[in-house]
Amino acid sequence: MDVKKTVLIDASNVAHATERGVARLENIVHQAPSGTDADYFILSFAREMDARVLTNDRYRDRAEEFQNERDRIIRFMIVDGAVVFEQRGKRRH
């Protein structure tokens, strides 16, 4: 079975590491509408699309409202110019 998973990128959080990559994805990269709370937009979209979120943001101001979506977060590091992903079963408290 070929299953596609969607990952939303919190671009304000990772933009410095992905500028060239994002430039090549012009037709599939979408921004939160102007004037929209980007954290709310990303977490709502993740809920709606059953998607993961690539970010190092902890979304503390949205913790209560989006408890389950916080478990969808994929954290990352840049090591020697490469993106290294961290995926945990559950978040640390």
Side-chain angles (χ1 to χ4, degrees):
M1 177 189 306
D2 182 26
V3 178
K4 283 189 173 181
K5 283 291 185 179
T6 301
V7 176
L8 304 176
I9 300 172
D10 184 349
S12 64
N13 199 267
V14 299
H16 69 278
T18 59
E19 287 178 23
R20 289 183 300 184
V22 170
R24 286 183 251 144
L25 300 174
E26 290 178 23
N27 294 329
I28 60 173
V29 172
H30 304 282
Q31 292 181 318
S34 180
T36 301
D37 177 330
D39 288 354
Y40 179 84
F41 182 81
I42 290 168
L43 292 168
S44 294
F45 221 58
R47 176 186 288 167
E48 182 179 320
M49 296 180 66
D50 191 26
R52 306 289 305 268
V53 179
L54 179 65
T55 187
N56 282 329
D57 193 329
R58 298 198 184 280
Y59 299 113
R60 287 185 177 124
D61 57 331
R62 297 286 180 184
E64 189 173 318
E65 184 178 5
F66 290 98
Q67 292 176 14
N68 295 330
E69 284 66 35
R70 291 179 72 215
D71 287 334
R72 299 173 186 270
I73 292 174
I74 302 169
R75 302 207 185 282
F76 70 96
M77 297 183 304
I78 308 296
V79 179
D80 293 328
V83 179
V84 178
F85 302 105
E86 173 189 66
Q87 295 187 38
R88 298 185 200 147
K90 291 286 179 183
R91 69 180 181 269
R92 294 180 197 164
H93 296 281

